[in-house]
Amino acid sequence: MKNYFIANGEILNTDMSIEEIESQVQESLDEYTSGMAQFMVKELSDKEIRMFFIRDFRCDPNKLIVYDADMSLITGVGIGAFQPQQVGGYPMIYPLNFAGKNFYTDITAFIRFYKFQLFEEMGQLVEHIGLRCYSDRILMQIVF
């Protein structure tokens, strides 16, 4: 059975090979980040995908939050969707908070947004999404 997911705006499915997925997402990432981020699939099956984005960004892995740049990197949606109107954004997620120079939200709010994006784009339902942000990578698990 084919299950769909999104990585940097690319609509992918579990019937694709790991090489196909990584190549398609990396090409998109290279264009979007000028080669400053990498994408890898750790595990792929009909019922689950574990993937990670490698990038350099200051964040505290003990806080259950995700920053605007990471939300944009994962979804492929422009960063303005994760910033409030007073700074020129058009927020698609709530709540948004400010930390230094970046906006952030809690992981559950982002997962809710990602699930909605999957359902809206492909009608895909998921059983579980796990997300963890570290200073050098973002780990994401989707169970269908």
Side-chain angles (χ1 to χ4, degrees):
M1 181 177 167
K2 192 185 294 190
N3 286 304
Y4 293 92
F5 59 98
I6 298 169
N8 194 249
E10 299 295 319
I11 298 172
L12 308 157
N13 66 67
T14 54
D15 282 351
M16 298 171 71
S17 71
I18 289 175
E19 293 79 20
E20 281 180 291
I21 294 168
E22 288 179 343
S23 173
Q24 190 171 340
V25 174
Q26 191 61 53
E27 187 177 307
S28 172
L29 274 175
D30 288 345
E31 185 177 314
Y32 177 71
T33 68
S34 300
M36 297 299 290
Q38 293 181 332
F39 175 81
M40 299 179 88
V41 174
K42 185 174 183 176
E43 189 176 312
L44 176 67
S45 71
D46 289 345
K47 293 286 183 192
E48 177 183 14
I49 179 153
R50 291 181 187 206
M51 56 188 165
F52 57 99
F53 295 85
I54 302 169
R55 50 85 179 109
D56 188 19
F57 187 74
R58 295 182 77 106
C59 67
D60 182 353
N62 297 318
K63 294 182 179 178
L64 297 176
I65 60 174
V66 58
Y67 287 95
D68 54 2
D70 288 343
M71 291 186 275
S72 182
L73 189 70
I74 294 167
T75 63
V77 175
I79 199 166
F82 309 109
Q83 298 175 340
Q85 285 181 312
Q86 59 263 37
V87 297
Y90 194 76
M92 297 177 72
I93 198 165
Y94 181 84
L96 284 172
N97 299 298
F98 186 66
K101 61 179 185 171
N102 295 90
F103 292 91
Y104 67 91
T105 192
D106 57 275
I107 286 178
T108 53
F110 174 72
I111 289 172
R112 195 171 42 245
F113 174 81
Y114 187 88
K115 283 181 176 181
F116 176 75
Q117 188 182 23
L118 278 177
F119 183 75
E120 187 67 24
E121 293 286 331
M122 287 87 58
Q124 178 69 56
L125 297 174
V126 296
E127 185 177 310
H128 170 76
I129 295 179
L131 182 72
R132 188 71 176 197
C133 298
Y134 298 94
S135 61
D136 64 337
R137 67 195 178 286
I138 305 162
L139 302 174
M140 190 167 186
Q141 174 193 32
I142 303 172
V143 178
F144 300 98

